[in-house]
C-alpha cells in the first residue's frame, strides 16, 4: 500500500476558529489530485471518528486541493483537547493508506 | 487607489525592516496590522492578557509608530493584546504612551473597545438577538454571567469610525482579522468584494506568498479588485499562493462571513501582471438584511495541577496503557475515600507522550518507543483540591508496579517538586452572533492624546 503523504505535496491541519478543524491536502499534480479526490468522505469520517454528515468537503481541481472541515472533536482548549492549534490531525491523513 | 501596507501577520511575530521601508517609499494610504487571534487558546481571553512578550511588542510597535510618522499616514491595529479584551487594549495603550513619552512625540490615538458586559449580552439573549452558530455550546444567563471576558468582533464600520476621528493611531479591541484592512478601501469607494477579499488575502502578511516568513506586503485596492505584492525581495506572490490562502484557517474557502454581510469568492479570477504580484477581480460582497457581530467568551474551567513522569524500563513501556489505567483507578478511589468530594469535582487524565498523547484514541500508528512520558493532568474545582489530588497521584507515578509479584519499581521525574500548579484554566463558551441595530451599539470609541 502507498501512504497518502507519499503521493501529495503537503497535508496541513489547523483550527478554523475554536470550534472547527480544517485539513487541506495539497496534491501538487492533477494525477495525485485524481487519486485523492476518489477517497470517499466516509473514509475520512471514520479516520477522525466524526459524523460524516458534519464534514464539509471541497474538491478544488484548479488548485489540486481537497479540503475537509469538521467540528473539532474537542473544543479548542477544553480540558480534553490535546492539540491547541489542531496541528497534528493532518498527520493522520498523511499516514493513511491509499489504493494503488 | 487605496494602498494598505501590512507589516506582518501579527504584532509580536517580527517584520523585515528593509521591506517595510520599501513599503513606505511606495506611498501607502494606511498601515494595518493584526494584534491577536483565538488560536493560542482560551486562557488569553479568559484572563484578558497578551501572549506575546511586552518587550518584543514594545520594540515592534515602536518601529511601526516611527514608520507611520515617516509615511505620514494612520496606523491601525486590531485585536490588541492577543484577545482584544478591554484590559489588553489598555495594555497596548500603556505601551504606546511610554513610546510617545520616550520619543517625544505627540500622538492622537483612537481607542475602540469591544468588551461586552454580561448585562448587555443577557439583555440581548432575552430580546432574542443572540443566535447560535454551528456547533454552539448551550448557553443561558448564568453561563453568560460566568464569563470573565466577552468580546464582540468589530467590522469595517467601527474601524472606519475610529479612522474618521483623524487619529494618528487606532488601537482596537477584538475585530475580525480582515476589518482593519478592508475599512479604508471601503471608505474610499473601492470594490466591496475586492476590499474584503484583499483583506483576507493580506491578513496574515506574506503567508499568501512563496516566503511566508518575510512578513511585509502591500495590497493595492481599486474599483474592480485588488493587487497584492510582497515587499521582501525573497518573496513572490503567484495566483496559486494567493488563491490557496483562502484555504488557511477557513472552514469554507469560498465564503467568509463578516459583520453586515459575506464575501463570496466563487467567481474570483487570479492573474499575474508580473512575476511577483497577483491581480484579483470578480469577488462579490453580499450584504445581509441585519447587522450581526460574532461573540467570543471565555470562563474559568477549574484549576490544574500537572505532573510528568518518564518510563524507560522496556517492560513498563510495553504495558504503559495498562499501568496508567490501573493508576487512574486507584487514584480515583483514594480521592473519593479520603477527600469530601464527588466525581464531578475533579478529573484525572494520564497521557502517554511518545505513544498517543497528541491524538488520543484517533491514533492509528501505535509503536513501542524506547521511553514514554506520562503527563498527569488533574483538573479540579479549587486550586487546593487540584494540588491535593496531584499529590495523591504522585506515589503511584513514582513506584506503582504492574503486578503485586514484581519488585517495587521507581520511575524518572525531571523536577522537584514533581507537581506544577497551572492555576486557573479557562474555556471558550460562546460560538454565537449578536444582532445590533447600529454598528457602534456594542462598541465604545474614545480619542486620547499621549506624549509631548
Amino acid at each position: 500500500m502507498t501512504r497518502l503523504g507519499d503521493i501529495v505535496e503537503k497535508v496541513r491541519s489547523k483550527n478554523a476558529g475554536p470550534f472547527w478543524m480544517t485539513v487541506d491536502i495539497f496534491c501538487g499534480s492533477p494525477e495525485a489530485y485524481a487519486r485523492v479526490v476518489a477517497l470517499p468522505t466516509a473514509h475520512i469520517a471514520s479516520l477522525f471518528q466524526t459524523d460524516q454528515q458534519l464534514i464539509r468537503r471541497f474538491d478544488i481541481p484548479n488548485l489540486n486541493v481537497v479540503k475537509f472541515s469538521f467540528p473539532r472533536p474537542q473544543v479548542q482548549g477544553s480540558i480534553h483537547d490535546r492539540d491547541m492549534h489542531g496541528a497534528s490531525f493532518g498527520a493522520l491523513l498523511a499516514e493513511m493508506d491509499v489504493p494503488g | 487607489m487605496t494602498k494598505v501596507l501590512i507589516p506582518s501577520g501579527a504584532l509580536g511575530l517580527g517584520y523585515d525592516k528593509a521591506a517595510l521601508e520599501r513599503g513606505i517609499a511606495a506611498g501607502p494610504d494606511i498601515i494595518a496590522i493584526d494584534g491577536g487571534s483565538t488560536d493560542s487558546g482560551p486562557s488569553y481571553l479568559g484572563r484578558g492578557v497578551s501572549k506575546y512578550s511586552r518587550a518584543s511588542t514594545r520594540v515592534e510597535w515602536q518601529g511601526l509608530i516611527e514608520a507611520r510618522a515617516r509615511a505620514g499616514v494612520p496606523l491601525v491595529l486590531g485585536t490588541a493584546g492577543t484577545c482584544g479584551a478591554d484590559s489588553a487594549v489598555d495594555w497596548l495603550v500603556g505601551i504606546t504612551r511610554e513610546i510617545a513619552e520616550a520619543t517625544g512625540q505627540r500622538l492622537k490615538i483612537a481607542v475602540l473597545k469591544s468588551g461586552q458586559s454580561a448585562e448587555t449580552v443577557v439583555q440581548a439573549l432575552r430580546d432574542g438577538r443572540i443566535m447560535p452558530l454551528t456547533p454552539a455550546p448551550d448557553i443561558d444567563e448564568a453561563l453568560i454571567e460566568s464569563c470573565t471576558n466577552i468580546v464582540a468582533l468589530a467590522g469595517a464600520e467601527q474601524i472606519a469610525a475610529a479612522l474618521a476621528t483623524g487619529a494618528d493611531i487606532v488601537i482596537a479591541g477584538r475585530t475580525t482579522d480582515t476589518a482593519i484592512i478592508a475599512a479604508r478601501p471601503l471608505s474610499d469607494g473601492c470594490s466591496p468584494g475586492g476590499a474584503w477579499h484583499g483583506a483576507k488575502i493580506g491578513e496574515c502578511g506574506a503567508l499568501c506568498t512563496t516566503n511566508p516568513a518575510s512578513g511585509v506586503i502591500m495590497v493595492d485596492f481599486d474599483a474592480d479588485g485588488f493587487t497584492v505584492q510582497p515587499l521582501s525581495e525573497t518573496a513572490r506572490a503567484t495566483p496559486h499562493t494567493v488563491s490557496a490562502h483562502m484555504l488557511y484557517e477557513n472552514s469554507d474557502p469560498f465564503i467568509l462571513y463578516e459583520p453586515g454581510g459575506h464575501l463570496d469568492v466563487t467567481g474570483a479570477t487570479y492573474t499575474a501582471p508580473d512575476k511577483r504580484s497577483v491581480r484579483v477581480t470578480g469577488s462579490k460582497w453580499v450584504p445581509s438584511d441585519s447587522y450581526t457581530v460574532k461573540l467570543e467568551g471565555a470562563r474559568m474551567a477549574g484549576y490544574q495541577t500537572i505532573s510528568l513522569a518518564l518510563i524507560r524500563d522496556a517492560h513498563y513501556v510495553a504495558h504503559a496503557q495498562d499501568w496508567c489505567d490501573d493508576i487512574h483507578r486507584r487514584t480515583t478511589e483514594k480521592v473519593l475515600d479520603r477527600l469530601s468530594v464527588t466525581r464531578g469535582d475533579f478529573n484525572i487524565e494520564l497521557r502517554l507522550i511518545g505513544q498517543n498523547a497528541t491524538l488520543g484514541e484517533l491514533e492509528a500508528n501505535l509503536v513501542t518507543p524506547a521511553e514514554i512520558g506520562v503527563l498527569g493532568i488533574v483538573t479540579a474545582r479549587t486550586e487546593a483540591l487540584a494540588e491535593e489530588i496531584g499529590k495523591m497521584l504522585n506515589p503511584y507515578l513514582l513506584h506503582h508496579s504492574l503486578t503485586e509479584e514484581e519488585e517495587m519499581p521507581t520511575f524518572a521525574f525531571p523536577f522537584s517538586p514533581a507537581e506544577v500548579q497551572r492555576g486557573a484554566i479557562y474555556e471558550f463558551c460562546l460560538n454565537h452572533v449578536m444582532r445590533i441595530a447600529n454598528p457602534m451599539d456594542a462598541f465604545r470609541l474614545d480619542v486620547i492624546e499621549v506624549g509631548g
Side-chain angles (χ1 to χ4, degrees):
Chain A
M1 292 296 274
T2 313
R3 299 188 328 163
L4 182 86
D6 297 332
I7 62 164
V8 304
E9 234 169 44
K10 184 169 74 174
V11 183
R12 171 180 76 187
S13 65
K14 202 83 209 295
N15 295 335
F19 296 87
W20 282 79
M21 182 84 74
T22 193
V23 188
D24 302 328
I25 307 171
F26 293 87
C27 301
S29 70
E31 295 71 33
Y33 176 78
R35 289 174 73 178
V36 174
V37 87
L39 288 171
T41 306
H43 206 100
I44 308 302
S46 86
L47 191 71
F48 293 118
Q49 297 179 23
T50 291
D51 181 352
Q52 190 181 334
Q53 304 299 318
L54 299 176
I55 296 185
R56 303 189 64 198
R57 173 176 180 153
F58 302 90
D59 297 334
I60 312 170
N62 57 348
L63 288 177
N64 290 319
V65 163
V66 178
K67 180 182 182 75
F68 297 98
S69 301
F70 49 91
R72 262 177 149 276
Q74 306 289 344
V75 174
Q76 180 202 3
S78 63
I79 68 165
H80 298 297
D81 181 29
R82 294 160 174 264
D83 183 356
M84 194 62 62
H85 300 261
S88 302
F89 282 66
L92 260 185
L93 259 180
E95 291 172 6
M96 183 179 77
D97 287 329
V98 287
Chain B
M1 201 163 97
T2 300
K3 287 183 187 165
V4 182
L5 177 61
I6 302 159
S8 82
L11 186 70
L13 292 179
Y15 48 80
D16 177 340
K17 285 182 185 167
L20 187 67
E21 285 311 312
R22 273 194 288 281
I24 292 167
D29 296 288
I30 189 168
I31 303 171
I33 188 161
D34 191 13
S37 162
T38 54
D39 213 33
S40 293
S43 181
Y44 304 98
L45 179 61
R47 293 180 295 142
V49 300
S50 168
K51 83 173 250 196
Y52 290 114
S53 141
R54 191 180 196 280
S56 289
T57 302
R58 183 177 159 156
V59 168
E60 291 182 25
W61 189 228
Q62 181 166 340
L64 295 183
I65 289 173
E66 289 166 358
R68 180 216 72 79
R70 287 197 298 283
V73 298
L75 167 64
V76 55
L77 175 136
T79 312
T82 305
C83 61
D86 291 356
S87 55
V89 172
D90 291 339
W91 176 79
L92 191 63
V93 169
I95 292 172
T96 313
R97 195 181 292 276
E98 281 176 21
I99 293 168
E101 283 166 7
T103 56
Q105 300 174 77
R106 183 110 187 127
L107 295 169
K108 183 176 173 184
I109 306 176
V111 180
L112 179 74
K113 288 197 168 162
S114 309
Q116 305 299 309
S117 69
E119 297 74 48
T120 303
V121 181
V122 164
Q123 190 57 52
L125 184 67
R126 287 179 187 164
D127 296 345
R129 291 186 291 111
I130 305 279
M131 281 78 71
L133 299 172
T134 304
D138 290 332
I139 62 165
D140 56 22
E141 294 184 10
L143 178 137
I144 291 165
E145 281 159 4
S146 72
C147 289
T148 52
N149 274 308
I150 300 173
V151 289
L153 278 70
E157 292 81 1
Q158 297 84 358
I159 297 296
L163 288 169
T165 64
D168 302 310
I169 298 176
V170 173
I171 296 179
R174 189 68 170 118
T175 64
T176 68
D177 295 344
T178 38
I180 52 165
I181 302 169
R184 180 64 189 265
L186 286 169
S187 301
D188 289 350
C190 297
S191 145
W196 286 109
H197 192 184
K200 173 61 198 171
I201 294 302
E203 54 111 356
C204 289
L207 206 55
C208 64
T209 73
T210 55
N211 182 2
S214 64
V216 195
I217 61 166
M218 184 84 85
V219 187
D220 195 348
F221 297 90
D222 56 50
D224 301 314
F226 67 94
T227 304
V228 56
Q229 183 186 6
L231 291 162
S232 162
E233 286 168 341
T234 59
R236 286 182 301 118
T238 70
H240 186 273
T241 63
V242 171
S243 55
H245 188 67
M246 285 305 290
L247 301 163
Y248 189 68
E249 293 182 344
N250 268 358
S251 58
D252 186 324
F254 299 109
I255 306 288
L256 188 68
Y257 285 91
E258 294 283 344
H262 72 265
L263 168 69
D264 182 343
V265 306
T266 317
T269 55
Y270 303 77
T271 54
D274 55 53
K275 285 188 174 164
R276 303 191 59 238
S277 44
V278 171
R279 167 107 187 117
V280 184
T281 54
S283 332
K284 264 197 329 199
W285 171 254
V286 184
S288 52
D289 295 335
S290 60
Y291 193 88
T292 59
V293 286
K294 193 178 175 197
L295 297 176
E296 289 167 356
R299 63 171 182 168
M300 255 183 63
Y303 293 83
Q304 259 178 5
T305 295
I306 60 171
S307 317
L308 181 62
L310 303 169
I311 308 177
R312 186 61 182 79
D313 178 309
H315 175 56
Y316 280 83
V317 166
H319 298 93
Q321 189 62 60
D322 292 340
W323 184 76
C324 283
D325 290 346
D326 196 32
I327 290 177
H328 189 278
R329 185 179 59 77
R330 287 168 189 264
T331 310
T332 303
E333 281 172 7
K334 192 174 277 185
V335 170
L336 292 170
D337 183 50
R338 296 184 176 177
L339 295 167
S340 306
V341 295
T342 62
R343 282 180 189 274
D345 292 327
F346 68 98
N347 183 74
I348 301 170
E349 207 178 343
L350 298 169
R351 295 186 191 167
L352 301 182
I353 299 173
Q355 203 137 61
N356 63 353
T358 317
L359 289 164
E361 59 187 20
L362 297 183
E363 183 54 72
N365 186 15
L366 285 172
V367 294
T368 304
E371 66 175 9
I372 287 178
V374 178
L375 178 64
I377 306 172
V378 174
T379 310
R381 283 198 202 281
T382 68
E383 192 154 31
L385 183 59
E387 191 172 351
E388 274 287 284
I389 297 172
K391 287 176 177 171
M392 287 185 180
L393 179 62
N394 178 270
Y396 293 113
L397 293 177
L398 181 60
H399 284 315
H400 186 58
S401 58
L402 272 166
T403 61
E404 285 177 6
E405 295 77 49
E406 290 174 45
E407 197 178 320
M408 186 179 78
T410 302
F411 300 96
F413 279 79
F415 310 118
S416 169
E419 294 82 28
V420 181
Q421 313 304 328
R422 292 195 62 238
I425 59 155
Y426 294 82
E427 63 188 3
F428 286 121
C429 53
L430 294 175
N431 192 26
H432 296 74
V433 295
M434 178 168 73
R435 192 174 70 242
I436 51 180
N438 298 296
M440 286 308 290
D441 282 357
F443 302 88
R444 295 166 313 287
L445 180 61
D446 289 305
V447 179
I448 59 170
E449 299 218 3
V450 299

